[in-house]
Amino acid sequence: MARLHEYQGKALLRQHGIATPRGEVASSPAEARQAAGRLGGATILKAQAWITGRKAKGAVVFADTPDDASAQASKLLAMTFGNFPVTEVLVEEKIAIKNELFVSISIDDQAQAPVMLLDWRGGSGIEDRAADVARLPIDVKSGINRFKLQDVVGKSGIDRSHHSSIVEAAVSLANIARQYEARSLEINPLAITVDGRMVAADCRMTIDDHAVFRHPELGIEIARELDHPPTELERIAYRVEQADHRGTFYFAQLSIETKGSAGVIGFHGAGGGGSMMSMDAATNAGFALANFCDTSGNPSAAKVYRAARIILSQPGLVGYFGSGSGVASQEQYHSAYGLAKAFIELKLDIPAVVRLGGNSEDRAVEILAAAAKLAGAPVEGYKKDDTPGFCAERLAKLVEKNWNRPWTPRKRQIPEFVGQGYSFPISSGGSGRVWIDHVRCDATTTAFVVEHSSGLLKSEDALPVLAVSEEEVAGKDSELVALEIECRRAGMRVVFVDLPIEGLDE
């Protein structure tokens, strides 16, 4: 479920006639001081972190003056939850509250229908009062039943002068949830102020991932269920995923608890269930995981290559662990070539253990063995009969043998002939270009390149050139990455598939 920031959700509420406190977003103490000055009087500052119980965690504080707001913002912006820093603070006017209500709309998966929850005591501890919470089903066609809603509100014990406003607010919230295809919309509290206004003092809203593309106005960066605002690396990965729909690519950075661990590793799975099992194996071997990653569904070599490079953009890794279902129907040598290219280009110097069970697993393991020689790193490949637990233990031994040396992200190594001579573009789920060093191509080299090009190249004047149109070769990155690696294995560094990643290679 794609999450909205609190201030994004409140902007939606205001558009639909539900009042919220006046407020501004600040990303520095100076901005918080300025915002508080414009708001005038006392303010409340809230760390924009996707966590529950913010007040109990010290992430919601009050300020009496602009200088006080600046000091409080400084403390909030120094906070981290998991290993994700707070980067924004919502500065709002402080309102005088008379009553706090809890209103929540969510999808009841068992009933396959939305439901509204109402409680006449908002704030923290709502989970402990489940028996007192009113539950109202919402018809997917006709919406919420006003008569039942009015009946529930009538028994609330809240002054009758506010009943109509509560009903109208609840109906509006149900309409908002439906219009934006929300999986959940929670207002806690929906406040009745001392002067009788109805104000949404807080807002938590998630949108169905599959509906995000229908609502570009929401400005959701990543249609994924994350427990934190998107990181820059997650934004880069999401752009890669959106540009290449051959197979899946899911990447998320994780909260890391390194105390007592054997070190932090990059994780690269293939298939949801197998990935979960493999993550368990890695944690059982004592490792902390920097990320979750899944490339499955027969991904291209370019997609796996880019996934590996994104994983290896994280500093401090002591190892690289790849393991999935072990019975994949995809051709595993495509993934092996993608991994080999990434390991070689980055001159990998930490251990990597990769389990590529499934179709063509023998060839995949052979390719990884070649990558180990070319990169000069301890890279081991395993098959479906090798359990994730065994593979994780192998990585633990290799990491220990490597003295737990941490990885330092680095620029990829690009051959000197790139940028000059013969080349042609490929799409590869993004920009890409193949370069061939004609200067070093003698008759033997040309014959080898053509033979291993899957029919994409031919010999012309004893030099390898395209045998097909640029349109036909556009999506053949898997074959061309394989060609590059096979040339490297043969000692012929004359082919390079340039697959830049926006955000990493500028």
Side-chain angles (χ1 to χ4, degrees), residues 419-458:
Q420 55 190 345
Y422 184 76
S423 70
F424 54 86
I426 56 174
S427 59
S428 69
S431 61
R433 197 166 194 89
V434 177
W435 295 87
I436 302 177
D437 187 1
H438 279 178
V439 174
R440 296 185 183 179
C441 285
D442 56 21
T444 301
T445 302
T446 295
F448 184 91
V449 171
V450 170
E451 179 186 353
H452 290 81
S453 71
S454 301
L456 298 175
L457 301 176
K458 64 181 180 181

Side-chain angles (χ1 to χ4, degrees), residues 81-408:
F81 294 97
N83 54 309
F84 300 105
V86 174
T87 59
E88 293 179 316
V89 172
L90 179 58
V91 184
E92 289 186 330
E93 63 175 333
K94 184 179 179 182
I95 58 176
I97 298 175
K98 179 181 179 182
N99 295 102
E100 290 188 351
L101 289 68
F102 170 88
V103 185
S104 169
I105 299 166
S106 59
I107 304 299
D108 185 329
D109 290 321
Q110 184 174 0
Q112 297 184 346
V115 62
M116 176 179 285
L117 303 180
L118 287 166
D119 186 40
W120 314 119
R121 289 178 294 164
S124 60
I126 186 69
E127 297 84 2
D128 301 326
R129 304 193 299 272
D132 300 326
V133 176
R135 182 184 178 91
L136 290 170
I138 302 175
D139 188 276
V140 293
K141 293 182 178 180
S142 60
I144 195 164
N145 188 309
R146 276 180 174 268
F147 296 107
K148 290 184 178 178
L149 179 57
Q150 288 168 348
D151 183 58
V152 170
V153 173
K155 299 173 182 177
S156 65
I158 292 176
D159 191 290
R160 292 184 62 85
S161 64
H162 300 302
H163 288 191
S164 177
S165 296
I166 296 172
V167 169
E168 292 307 317
V171 170
S172 293
L173 290 172
N175 291 337
I176 292 169
R178 180 177 181 177
Q179 178 176 340
Y180 295 102
E181 301 175 80
R183 288 287 302 183
S184 67
L185 172 55
E186 178 183 303
I187 310 298
N188 184 24
L190 179 63
I192 300 173
T193 65
V194 171
D195 57 6
R197 293 180 298 137
M198 186 72 61
V199 179
D202 197 6
C203 178
R204 293 167 56 87
M205 188 174 181
T206 61
I207 307 298
D208 190 302
D209 288 346
H210 301 292
V212 167
F213 76 97
R214 286 192 288 269
H215 302 286
E217 71 277 14
L218 297 179
I220 295 173
E221 297 178 278
I222 297 180
R224 286 286 180 265
E225 184 173 0
L226 300 173
D227 64 352
H228 56 270
T231 66
E232 185 55 35
L233 204 54
E234 287 166 341
R235 294 186 183 99
I236 291 169
Y238 193 67
R239 287 196 293 268
V240 169
E241 177 187 1
Q242 294 304 294
D244 188 349
H245 295 285
R246 297 169 296 173
T248 63
F249 172 37
Y250 186 107
F251 175 86
Q253 293 184 275
L254 304 176
S255 297
I256 305 172
E257 177 51 66
T258 59
K259 187 176 180 180
S261 75
V264 180
I265 61 171
F267 178 78
H268 193 158
S275 294
M276 295 297 106
M277 179 173 61
S278 299
M279 291 174 76
D280 286 342
T283 55
N284 289 340
F287 292 115
L289 274 59
N291 68 277
F292 171 79
C293 178
D294 172 29
T295 54
S296 56
N298 210 26
S300 65
K303 201 165 196 175
V304 175
Y305 159 82
R306 287 184 167 118
R309 283 200 53 211
I310 288 168
I311 291 170
L312 289 169
S313 296
Q314 302 172 109
L317 306 180
V318 297
Y320 190 106
F321 187 48
S323 178
S325 66
V327 291
S329 60
Q330 63 197 42
E331 298 302 334
Q332 296 288 37
Y333 63 86
H334 289 317
S335 293
Y337 277 126
L339 291 169
K341 179 173 172 62
F343 294 165
I344 294 167
E345 276 186 24
L346 296 176
K347 292 191 176 295
L348 189 74
D349 60 9
I350 58 172
V353 170
V354 183
R355 177 174 174 260
L356 286 173
N359 291 2
S360 62
E361 59 179 21
D362 290 335
R363 183 178 174 187
V365 168
E366 178 196 6
I367 293 164
L368 289 173
K373 294 179 181 178
L374 292 168
V379 178
E380 294 184 357
Y382 292 95
K383 308 175 188 178
K384 61 177 175 289
D385 290 336
D386 301 303
T387 67
F390 168 79
C391 295
E393 290 298 334
R394 278 299 307 153
L395 181 62
K397 289 178 177 154
L398 291 174
V399 167
E400 184 179 3
K401 188 176 180 180
N402 199 47
W403 300 96
N404 285 73
R405 291 191 184 95
W407 167 253
T408 300

